[in-house]
């Protein structure tokens, strides 16, 4: 009897494990890798610490974009400053959308980041965003993304 019971428990554990790992891969897509936002990618190499500047203005638009082919979507702003309206790239949606501080249309913010050219237009890849007393630190001074975690 004890052998039968042990065998039933073992079979149950194997079946439970197989069902747990048999989920369709599309459900896990957001958690596999960085979605093209990792270190060493073409997009990350665009960040240049030598072109870092600080701008401030009012958020006119917050939306999702895919900056380059093969990447997962990112969160993007249109920021109206005294001089221009410029695109600001915050980071991957899977990271930005989980932060406590939310950036919304109409917010007055200050952005520190690298000025780059994307699709023949000026843009800022953000390193820090200040909204009121809150500061979102998205990259360090070398441009390494906060979402890269231990993979630096």
């Amino acid at each position: 009897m004890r052998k039968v019971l042990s065998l039933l428990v073992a079979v149950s554990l194997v079946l439970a494990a197989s069902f747990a790992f048999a989920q369709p891969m599309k459900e896990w897509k957001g958690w596999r890798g960085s979605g093209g936002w990792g270190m060493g990618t073409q997009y990350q190499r665009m960040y240049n610490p030598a072109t870092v500047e600080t701008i401030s203005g009012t958020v006119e638009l917050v939306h999702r974009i895919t900056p380059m082919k093969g990447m997962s979507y990112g969160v993007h702003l249109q920021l109206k400053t005294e001089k221009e309206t410029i695109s600001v790239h915050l980071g991957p949606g899977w990271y930005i959308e989980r932060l406590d501080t939310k950036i919304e249309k109409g917010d007055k913010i200050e952005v520190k980041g690298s000025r780059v050219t994307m699709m023949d237009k000026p843009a800022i890849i953000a390193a820090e965003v200040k909204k009121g007393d809150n500061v979102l630190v998205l990259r360090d001074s070398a441009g390494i993304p906060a979402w890269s975690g231990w993979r630096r």
Side-chain angles (χ1 to χ4, degrees):
M1 182 69 176
R2 190 177 265 184
K3 286 183 179 182
V4 171
L5 186 57
S6 296
L7 182 61
L8 283 173
V9 169
V11 168
S12 296
L13 288 173
V14 169
L15 284 174
S18 351
F19 285 122
F21 291 108
Q23 299 298 317
M25 287 307 290
K26 68 180 181 178
E27 289 183 28
W28 291 93
K29 183 178 180 189
W31 300 103
R32 290 184 302 157
S34 64
W37 292 87
M39 290 304 298
T41 62
Q42 182 181 358
Y43 180 80
Q44 295 306 333
R45 288 191 301 266
M46 291 180 70
Y47 188 95
N48 181 354
T51 65
V52 170
E53 62 182 78
T54 302
I55 60 174
S56 58
T58 303
V59 177
E60 290 193 324
L61 177 68
V62 179
H63 66 132
R64 296 175 173 184
I65 64 159
T66 303
M68 293 183 166
K69 186 176 180 172
M71 294 178 73
S72 62
Y73 75 88
V75 178
H76 170 265
L77 311 173
Q78 285 291 330
L79 186 67
K80 183 165 181 56
T81 71
E82 288 183 5
K83 297 179 182 178
E84 64 189 332
T85 298
I86 190 165
S87 295
V88 177
H89 296 250
L90 299 182
W94 53 262
Y95 181 79
I96 301 297
E97 292 172 352
R98 287 174 174 75
L99 298 175
D100 290 336
T101 301
K102 304 296 182 203
I103 307 296
E104 300 171 324
K105 181 179 179 180
D107 286 347
K108 302 221 181 292
I109 62 172
E110 181 179 281
V111 177
K112 178 179 178 182
S114 174
R115 185 176 282 262
V116 298
T117 301
M118 289 189 142
M119 295 177 246
D120 298 323
K121 293 182 181 177
I124 299 284
I125 297 177
E128 293 180 5
V129 178
K130 184 175 182 182
K131 176 184 172 184
D133 293 334
N134 297 319
V135 178
L136 299 177
V137 178
L138 304 173
R139 296 169 183 274
D140 68 12
S141 60
I144 297 172
W147 55 86
S148 68
W150 60 272
R151 294 182 229 203
R152 297 175 182 202

